[in-house]
Amino acid sequence: MTEKLKSSAQRVQDCLTQAGYDFRVKQLLASTRTAEDAAHAIGCEVAQIAKSLIFKDKNTGDAVLIVAAGHHQVDLKKIKATTPFHLSKADADFVRDKTGFAIGGVSPIAHRHPLHILLDEDLKNYASIWAAAGTPNAVFELNAEILAQLTQGQWLSIH
């Protein structure tokens, strides 16, 4: 683990601190770019990784963040049937513009602009989950209840 946080990771740490939580962003030497990489670097199950996926709503052009358990694929047809969103894949420029983070380091918090946020209800099955913290090797540990408090996201089945 490295000491000084990169600016994007520091933004996440500042958001956590300002929200009154004492969680600490950790910068690991190994990559956490994918859920599998993160689970290996942290030493947890892939399902405990809260991966942040940004989509673009075809109806409005808004960014939609889905925070999914690391072992799940998002079922876009199910999302369309259960929400007002019609999602498409977002490109790297859209992700960076809307969140302030690069793909592979998108945090569920501390975004540049407000986002619509959907949370994978399966994350509630774990006492501890890990989320990206602004860079491809920064993470922080929390639980599903606090994830919901921090993001004000909507719980649903995403797969």
Side-chain angles (χ1 to χ4, degrees):
M1 195 165 60
T2 60
E3 295 288 324
K4 185 170 172 24
L5 295 177
K6 293 184 179 177
S7 62
S8 292
Q10 187 62 55
R11 192 166 88 230
V12 172
Q13 183 63 68
D14 292 345
C15 181
L16 290 167
T17 302
Q18 289 169 3
Y21 295 102
D22 61 359
F23 302 122
R24 289 281 152 229
V25 170
K26 298 176 182 181
Q27 287 185 146
L28 305 175
L29 296 177
S31 171
T32 59
R33 186 176 296 275
T34 68
E36 292 79 12
D37 289 348
H40 181 73
I42 294 163
C44 68
E45 294 179 43
V46 173
Q48 288 177 268
I49 302 302
K51 61 184 178 182
S52 295
L53 306 168
I54 299 291
F55 294 90
K56 186 175 187 176
D57 183 3
K58 292 180 185 178
N59 298 320
T60 64
D62 291 344
V64 177
L65 167 64
I66 298 178
V67 182
H71 65 304
H72 285 165
Q73 294 285 350
V74 175
D75 182 342
L76 294 181
K77 290 180 184 175
K78 188 172 191 177
I79 300 297
K80 184 178 179 185
T82 58
T83 72
F85 304 117
H86 184 194
L87 302 180
S88 64
K89 189 174 181 174
D91 66 28
D93 290 337
F94 181 85
V95 171
R96 186 178 289 279
D97 177 59
K98 298 299 182 184
T99 68
F101 303 117
I103 292 173
V106 175
S107 176
I109 62 170
H111 305 121
R112 184 176 286 158
H113 301 286
L115 307 174
H116 301 283
I117 300 177
L118 305 174
L119 305 172
D120 182 351
E121 63 188 15
D122 283 359
L123 290 169
K124 295 179 186 179
N125 295 327
Y126 301 92
S128 173
I129 57 177
W130 292 84
T135 73
N137 68 336
V139 295
F140 66 101
E141 184 178 16
L142 71 165
N143 63 45
E145 180 181 337
I146 294 172
L147 175 66
Q149 290 170 8
L150 285 168
T151 63
Q152 296 298 298
Q154 172 191 349
W155 291 108
L156 74 156
S157 175
I158 60 99
H159 62 99

